[in-house]
């Protein structure tokens, strides 16, 4: 079929080597062999006999070996996808000769060495994905010349050094992923402030340090902000409240200090607020009641104190709340059982909560894990806890609870773990 221009054989069970008939189809502009089980190397004839190719997708196969520099002879390529194979060796510098290239996906291979600085010559490049390889250089400043980039993913490599300031020229970036590397230094305000089109910023699992710049508040289109597992210090900037479209915020595992800014209450679309493993202090701001979309609140292992805001229980979509290992005090709001009907995990251990366990907790029909251990709770175990048919873990140890173990606990059919130790309970242990 010498006139064939479009061939898609993707998502089958085809195997063995590259099909040899294809390099006779000299007029092919579109070739998709992805999601099969082809193996071996890419024959040189592919590069010399298919000069009209504009789209080449060999992703999710078992191709292996080094990628030949002759791939640059496919000079009309606009879209090149070789992800999720076993390619190794360096990324050929000559890829930069494919000047029409707009999309380059090489993720999930074993490419090693440096990111070619020659990629800066690809002025039309919009999408560059080199995730999950063995690249171990610095990020070349020349990437800042690819001013049409909207997607840049370099996650899960061994990249080191600081972010080149030239990346501030990438004004059109919508998604930036640099997680899982050894990148260090401060995140310059000049960088952050220029990425105003960003929807997703993922810098987690690196060694970034210094303060989170207030210019983060300029990224008003941001939906995902992941800075966890770094060395950020200082306070959470109040400008974070400008990110009205934010749905997920994870700043955990840093060295942040100071209070949680009241402006978090402006994040009405936020579904996940994760600030655990920091040095945050102060109280939970009452403005948290405005975060009507919140489903996960994790503030564990900080130095937060004071009573829980009474309105925290009005977060009706809340599913997971972890406040353990802080200095919270006062009573547990009884309103939890009235509004937060979707709660599945409540972890309040290692604080200074006092008073009785509210009987309203028995209304939390979706609850799977309840940990109130290591507090100063007193009074009886409310029989209403027996209504929690989905509960798998009930941990009430190291409190000052008294009275009998309620017989109603036998109704908790899903219970796997029960710890009532180190209290002042009395009477018989229900034999059933």
């Amino acid at each position: 079929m010498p006139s064939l221009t479009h061939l898609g054989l993707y998502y089958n069970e085809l195997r063995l080597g590259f099909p040899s008939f294809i390099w006779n189809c000299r007029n092919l502009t579109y070739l998709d062999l992805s999601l099969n089980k082809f193996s071996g190397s890419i024959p040189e004839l592919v590069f010399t006999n298919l000069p009209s190719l504009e789209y080449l997708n060999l992703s999710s196969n078992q191709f292996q070996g080094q990628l030949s520099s002759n791939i640059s002879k496919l000079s009309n390529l606009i879209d090149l996808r070789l992800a999720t194979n076993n390619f190794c060796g360096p990324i050929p510098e000559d890829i930069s000769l494919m000047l029409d290239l707009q999309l380059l996906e090489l993720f999930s291979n074993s490419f090693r060495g440096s990111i070619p600085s020659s990629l800066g010559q690809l002025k039309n490049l919009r999408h560059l994905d080199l995730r999950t390889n063995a690249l171990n250089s610095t990020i070349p400043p020349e990437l800042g010349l690819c001013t049409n980039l909207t997607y840049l993913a370099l996650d899960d490599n061994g990249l080191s050094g600081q972010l080149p300031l030239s990346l501030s020229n990438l004004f059109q970036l919508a998604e930036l992923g640099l997680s899982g590397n050894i990148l260090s230094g401060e995140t310059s305000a000049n960088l952050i402030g220029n990425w105003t089109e960003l929807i997703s910023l993922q810098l987690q699992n690196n060694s970034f340090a210094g303060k989170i710049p207030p210019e983060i508040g300029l990224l008003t289109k941001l939906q995902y902000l992941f800075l966890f597992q770094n060395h950020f210090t200082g306070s959470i900037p109040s400008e974070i409240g400008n990110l009205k479209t934010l749905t997920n915020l994870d700043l955990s595992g840093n060295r942040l200090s100071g209070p949680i800014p009241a402006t978090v209450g402006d994040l009405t679309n936020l579904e996940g607020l994760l600030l655990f493993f920091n040095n945050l202090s102060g109280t939970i701001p009452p403005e948290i009641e405005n975060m009507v979309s919140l489903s996960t609140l994790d503030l564990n292992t900080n130095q937060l104190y004071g009573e829980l805001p009474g309105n925290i229980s009005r977060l009706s979509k809340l599913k997971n709340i972890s406040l353990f290992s802080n200095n919270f005090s006062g009573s547990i709001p009884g309103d939890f059982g009235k509004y937060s009907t979707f709660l599945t995990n409540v972890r309040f251990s290692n604080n200074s909560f006092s008073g009785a366990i509210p009987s309203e907790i028995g209304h939390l029909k979706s609850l799977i894990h309840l940990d109130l251990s290591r507090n100063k709770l007193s009074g009886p175990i409310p029989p209403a806890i027996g209504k929690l048919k989905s509960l798998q873990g009930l941990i009430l140890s190291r409190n000052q609870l008294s009275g009998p173990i309620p017989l109603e606990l036998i109704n908790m059919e899903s219970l796997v773990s029960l710890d009532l130790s180190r209290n002042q309970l009395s009477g018989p242990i229900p034999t059933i």
Side-chain angles (χ1 to χ4, degrees):
M1 292 185 285
S3 299
L4 194 67
T5 61
H6 188 293
L7 178 61
L9 300 175
Y10 51 90
Y11 220 129
N12 283 286
E13 292 288 332
L14 302 172
R15 56 185 70 234
L16 300 181
F18 198 97
S20 58
F21 75 88
I22 287 177
W23 52 69
N24 293 320
C25 303
R26 290 178 172 271
N27 290 304
L28 274 182
T29 60
Y30 179 103
L31 177 59
D32 192 342
L33 304 180
S34 62
L35 292 156
N36 281 289
K37 296 183 178 179
F38 291 118
S39 58
S41 59
I42 304 175
E44 292 287 324
L45 285 172
V46 173
F47 309 136
T48 56
N49 285 27
L50 302 178
S52 300
L53 266 187
E54 297 178 0
Y55 178 96
L56 176 61
N57 189 350
L58 306 180
S59 297
S60 300
N61 279 286
Q62 298 165 14
F63 288 115
Q64 59 196 42
Q66 294 195 23
L67 188 59
S68 170
S69 61
N70 284 330
I71 195 170
S72 63
K73 292 183 178 180
L74 301 176
S75 57
N76 291 309
L77 268 186
I78 295 173
D79 198 315
L80 176 59
R81 307 179 188 224
L82 304 178
T84 317
N85 280 287
N86 299 309
F87 292 114
C88 61
I91 298 172
E93 290 271 353
D94 287 351
I95 281 184
S96 62
L97 299 178
M98 295 187 284
L99 298 179
D100 293 329
L101 207 59
Q102 295 182 17
L103 185 147
L104 177 59
E105 285 189 346
L106 304 179
F107 66 86
S108 296
N109 280 286
S110 298
F111 289 111
R112 56 177 172 75
S114 60
I115 298 172
S117 59
S118 60
L119 291 181
Q121 299 173 32
L122 300 177
K123 307 301 184 192
N124 294 309
L125 199 62
R126 297 179 180 275
H127 183 113
L128 177 60
D129 195 338
L130 307 180
R131 289 174 293 149
T132 319
N133 279 286
L135 301 170
N136 55 9
S137 63
T138 57
I139 298 174
E142 290 79 3
L143 281 187
L145 299 173
C146 302
T147 53
N148 285 308
L149 273 177
T150 61
Y151 181 99
L152 176 60
L154 307 177
D155 314 75
D156 299 319
N157 281 284
L159 300 173
S160 59
Q162 300 187 17
L163 297 183
L165 283 175
S166 60
L167 297 186
S168 63
N169 296 324
L170 305 181
F171 299 107
Q172 299 188 50
L173 266 186
E175 297 185 53
L176 175 61
L178 302 175
S179 63
N181 284 288
I182 323 170
L183 297 167
S184 58
E186 298 189 9
T187 51
S188 165
N190 292 331
L191 276 174
I192 295 287
N194 282 6
W195 293 332
T196 54
E197 297 298 313
L198 272 183
I199 295 172
S200 174
L201 177 59
Q202 302 195 27
L203 306 182
Q204 68 268 25
N205 290 311
N206 278 286
S207 297
F208 290 115
K211 296 182 177 181
I212 300 172
E215 286 76 9
I216 197 78
L218 298 175
L219 312 186
T220 54
K221 296 181 180 180
L222 210 58
Q223 296 178 22
Y224 305 95
L225 178 57
F226 296 142
L227 305 182
F228 61 88
Q229 294 298 327
N230 278 287
H231 305 306
F232 288 111
T233 56
S235 59
I236 300 172
S238 60
E239 289 82 357
I240 209 101
N242 296 336
L243 309 181
K244 301 292 194 294
T245 59
L246 206 62
T247 60
N248 285 277
L249 174 61
D250 192 340
L251 307 180
S252 61
N254 281 287
R255 301 170 185 173
L256 298 170
S257 58
I260 300 171
T263 53
V264 297
D266 296 330
L267 306 178
T268 54
N269 290 302
L270 200 69
E271 298 172 6
L273 177 60
L274 291 85
L275 305 177
F276 59 90
F277 284 113
N278 278 290
N279 298 313
L280 298 172
S281 58
T283 60
I284 297 177
E287 289 82 0
I288 201 169
E289 72 169 330
N290 299 323
M291 304 174 73
V292 292
S293 301
L294 202 63
S295 65
T296 296
L297 175 63
D298 197 336
L299 308 179
N300 82 72
T301 318
N302 278 286
Q303 299 172 26
L304 299 166
Y305 57 81
E307 297 188 13
L308 297 187
N311 52 23
I312 196 173
S313 59
R314 294 182 179 271
L315 300 175
S316 59
K317 294 185 178 179
L318 202 60
K319 293 182 180 179
N320 302 285
I321 179 168
S322 292
L323 306 179
F324 63 85
S325 296
N326 278 286
N327 299 308
F328 291 114
S329 58
S331 59
I332 297 172
D335 276 357
F336 263 133
K338 185 176 180 181
Y339 298 104
S340 305
T341 54
F342 294 107
L343 270 174
T344 57
N345 289 283
V346 175
R347 300 172 187 266
F348 287 178
S349 64
N350 201 22
N351 280 285
S352 296
F353 287 113
S354 59
I357 299 173
S359 60
E360 291 87 349
I361 215 160
H363 296 297
L364 301 177
K365 304 299 184 184
S366 301
L367 205 59
I368 294 174
H369 193 93
L370 176 62
D371 188 349
L372 305 179
S373 62
R374 295 176 180 268
N375 280 287
K376 299 176 181 178
L377 298 170
S378 58
I381 298 172
I385 285 183
K387 297 178 181 179
L388 304 178
K389 299 286 184 69
S390 299
L391 199 68
Q392 297 177 13
L394 177 59
I395 315 298
L396 303 178
S397 58
R398 293 178 182 265
N399 279 287
Q400 299 166 18
L401 300 172
S402 58
I405 299 174
L407 281 173
E408 286 79 2
L409 296 191
I410 67 174
N411 297 321
M412 301 168 68
E413 302 163 352
S414 301
L415 201 62
V416 174
S417 177
L418 174 65
D419 191 348
L420 308 178
S421 64
R422 305 219 176 189
N423 279 288
Q424 299 168 20
L425 300 171
S426 59
I429 298 173
T431 55
I432 194 166

